[in-house]
Amino acid sequence: MTFYDEKPLSLDSIAELEEGNTIEAKAAQGRDGRGELPGSIWETYSAFANTSGGWIILGVVEEGEEQRLVPVGVKDPRRLMKSVWDSVNNAQVVSANVLQPQNVYELEESGCKVVVIYVPAAARQKRPVYIKNDIMQGTYKRNFEGDYRCTESEVRQMVAESSEQSRDAAILDRFGIEDLEQETIRAFRGMVGARNPDHVALQGDDVHLLKQLGAIQQDRRRNELVVTRGGLLLFGKYSSLLEAFPGMFLDYRERRDEPDAPRWDDRIFSDGTWSGNVIDFYRKVYPKLVSDLKVPFQLDAYGRRIDETLVHKALREALANTLSNADYHASTPVVILKKPGRFIFTNPGRLRLPLKKILQGGVSDPRNGVIHRAFIWLGIAERAGSGIPTILHAWQKQHWQTPVFEERFEPEQTVFLLSTASLLPEEAVAHLRQRFGAEFEGLSVEGRVVLVTAYLEESVTHARLRNLLHLIHSRDLTMLLQSMVRQGLLRKEGTGRHLTYYFVEQEQDIAGERGDGQLSLSDAFYADSKGKEGSSDDSAENFQYRAENSQHSAVSSDDSAVSSDDSAVSSDDWKILQKIAAPVASKKRVDPVFMKETIVKLCQVKPLSLQELASLLERQDVNLRIQYLSKMVKAGEIFLLHSKSRTHPRQAYYAKNEG
């Protein structure tokens, strides 16, 4: 596994990149043509260091409508590199040097030389990284393709994060044990005892337990017990929490993916009807998170039934991780969203460690150490920082899409998406094994995912695969794709950001079909910030809103035969469609001819996406596409709504009405 601090492969690989959130290209030619550091480079340096890191490439320009990065070279790269090191070690230029020797280097090919500067994300103890010796006016963050100056509140937030080891260890003046919910403390004691009856914290009264946990401390000045921030967050009464943390809001949401379904099938949130504290929220939410998981029959070494799986443990870790790392002083909520095929965990506050260290495990730096300690006592979290690797392992064992972390910066949030969509559907794997034999077997897991995705979607892009293979480095993915092209497994067309890889079996069928109505995770990440009702607390819902609702919204058709105004599926239309589909949906097997006739009838009512057809017919979408829809499109029995763009995010199928 490689990470973001590795070198680009070559100058050729730069042509496949584009300026964006982690890439900044500068011509850096200078007045004399020998090369000179642009003045704005240090704003970008500050922005990269204060966000997620990135590359500054000197001697490269953007060209053409495609905005391809084209190396033009610099004549004296050594001079530029010396200027970088001279400046980065000058406190009057930048406040901190986050570069290592390997982060600044020269690339050369066919006489063209460029300088690459990889700026890693600064450790929280070094943030904010600012320029011109001015912390308030010289602190920047990266936002899509630009650098912007941080507000004073953002700067203060970074300073607070840098100076505290644990945000919840400090005491709260004016709050005492009377502000804690006794029922929650009793429940917590029982949970600890069920796991470890001999725990030292249980060898005394509640005051002893709370002291051991760090939930209360002795104020030696006044000789009285006071509550810590973590103690109040874990066990506090609703009114006391509201007073100490006015922005705190815990929210669990659950909803089905059905057109007529209510907005929420189930919801637990800080509404004043219960304590609103962290322990009670965990007790209420965890059983609901795992309620639909299947538990295979298996016994432990003592012949006792094992009643949970790795996925249970992963979801428990994810919930505890979200609650332990939330910034409860922020005004944004903690949101846990459960929907068919996905779990989304959102907490205010960004990652405390670089993503590289989080994924590797072995290092723990929770924002709220007292809350984290409580979960350790319950056997949910571990001090060794193994929580995220545990989740990744569980998802990998299931061959599900790699969990995705996203850091947002306005407001600061961390989003953790766990999708249960399979990367390697059995039917597709079986077909590719038969088609390629030993070549398929010889591929790495990542290679198989690439080929399976290209087969199912007929074409893929670098960006699409990066969303599926979140842990693979961008440069490693480029190398893998190039290798698969050389092997004859893929065929590529286009350049730069328009470079597309096609499945070779489909290369003669460029106008073939593809219509699953799905959006990539990237599309979902940058979905419109307003939910269905424009609620300000819908951050987690908005994460998937556009992806899940695009198939029901009006679309613009490439085909004049179908009006885009006719593409939305109303509740009345859905009832008609369900009636047509019922004879197929009620049976496991039907005659193929009858299945095709039913599909045509459905598509005559409204243009329908793959997911809508699969839901109506109660069939697996992959099987439905391979066995019927692809063949019917080629035979002219049904048509693509977006025939000129097979991978259109709002793709749908329609059929012409006879007569």
Side-chain angles (χ1 to χ4, degrees), residues 44 48 93 98 112 222 224 236 242 319 370 384 417 452 572 631:
T44 302
F48 280 156
V93 178
V98 299
C112 181
R222 293 176 291 182
E224 61 183 23
L242 195 62
L319 178 56
V370 177
L417 170 66
V452 166
D572 290 339
K631 297 174 182 178

Side-chain angles (χ1 to χ4, degrees), residues 194-421:
R195 177 177 180 267
N196 183 4
D198 298 323
H199 197 291
V200 65
L202 302 180
Q203 311 308 310
D205 59 13
D206 288 347
V207 170
H208 173 74
L209 181 147
L210 295 172
K211 279 185 175 181
Q212 292 287 314
L213 183 60
I216 62 174
Q217 293 181 16
Q218 186 79 31
D219 187 339
R220 300 186 185 281
R221 297 171 302 171
R222 293 176 291 182
N223 194 30
E224 61 183 23
L225 292 173
V226 292
V227 175
T228 63
R229 292 175 181 174
L232 191 65
L233 289 167
L234 284 167
F235 307 112
K237 295 178 179 178
Y238 180 79
S239 58
S240 301
L241 286 166
L242 195 62
E243 181 181 351
F245 303 97
M248 179 183 177
F249 192 85
L250 305 178
D251 195 354
Y252 169 81
R253 308 169 187 176
E254 189 173 323
R255 190 177 73 183
R256 301 188 306 271
D257 277 342
E258 296 177 10
D260 294 329
R263 188 171 189 200
W264 309 118
D265 292 308
D266 200 356
R267 190 176 184 190
I268 299 169
F269 62 100
S270 304
D271 61 353
T273 61
W274 56 287
S275 69
N277 64 49
V278 168
I279 291 296
D280 284 346
F281 183 73
Y282 175 86
R283 293 168 59 210
K284 289 173 177 289
V285 167
Y286 174 68
K288 294 180 179 295
L289 271 180
V290 301
S291 61
D292 301 325
L293 297 183
K294 297 179 180 179
V295 182
F297 183 81
Q298 53 184 332
L299 303 176
D300 64 14
Y302 301 98
R304 296 171 300 197
R305 174 77 184 268
I306 300 173
D307 60 358
E308 67 172 31
T309 65
L310 287 175
V311 178
H312 286 79
K313 186 176 182 181
L315 289 173
R316 194 163 57 233
E317 290 269 10
L319 178 56
N321 181 74
T322 299
L323 295 171
S324 298
N325 286 288
D327 182 356
Y328 294 102
H329 294 277
S331 58
T332 50
V334 173
V335 181
I336 314 297
L337 180 63
K338 176 185 176 181
K339 304 188 94 177
R342 69 192 66 86
F343 302 89
I344 305 172
F345 300 82
T346 303
N347 66 263
R350 55 184 296 193
L351 298 174
R352 297 262 287 185
L353 291 170
L355 184 57
K356 171 182 176 178
K357 290 186 177 180
I358 292 173
L359 299 177
Q360 285 178 325
V363 181
S364 181
D365 184 22
R367 179 171 277 108
N368 302 297
V370 177
I371 294 177
H372 184 64
R373 188 179 303 119
F375 285 124
I376 291 176
W377 286 13
L378 296 175
I380 298 166
E382 295 184 18
R383 192 177 299 279
S386 61
I388 298 304
T390 295
I391 298 170
L392 298 179
H393 173 69
W395 250 244
Q396 191 175 44
K397 291 281 285 185
Q398 301 296 324
H399 295 297
W400 289 339
Q401 288 185 2
T402 305
V404 174
F405 270 110
E406 182 205 5
E407 279 190 295
R408 296 176 179 172
F409 299 100
E410 286 191 42
E412 290 195 346
Q413 292 176 302
T414 300
V415 181
F416 190 32
L417 170 66
L418 297 173
S419 170
T420 59

Side-chain angles (χ1 to χ4, degrees), residues 183-199:
E183 178 57 36
T184 308
I185 297 172
R186 282 194 291 271
F188 178 75
R189 177 184 282 273
M191 294 164 70
V192 174
R195 177 177 180 267
N196 183 4
D198 298 323
H199 197 291

Side-chain angles (χ1 to χ4, degrees), residues 612-630:
E612 288 169 330
L613 286 167
S615 176
L616 288 164
L617 298 168
E618 295 190 14
R619 295 297 191 271
Q620 292 290 328
D621 53 5
V622 173
N623 292 344
L624 185 65
R625 189 185 74 80
I626 294 174
Q627 295 177 13
Y628 291 99
L629 302 181
S630 296

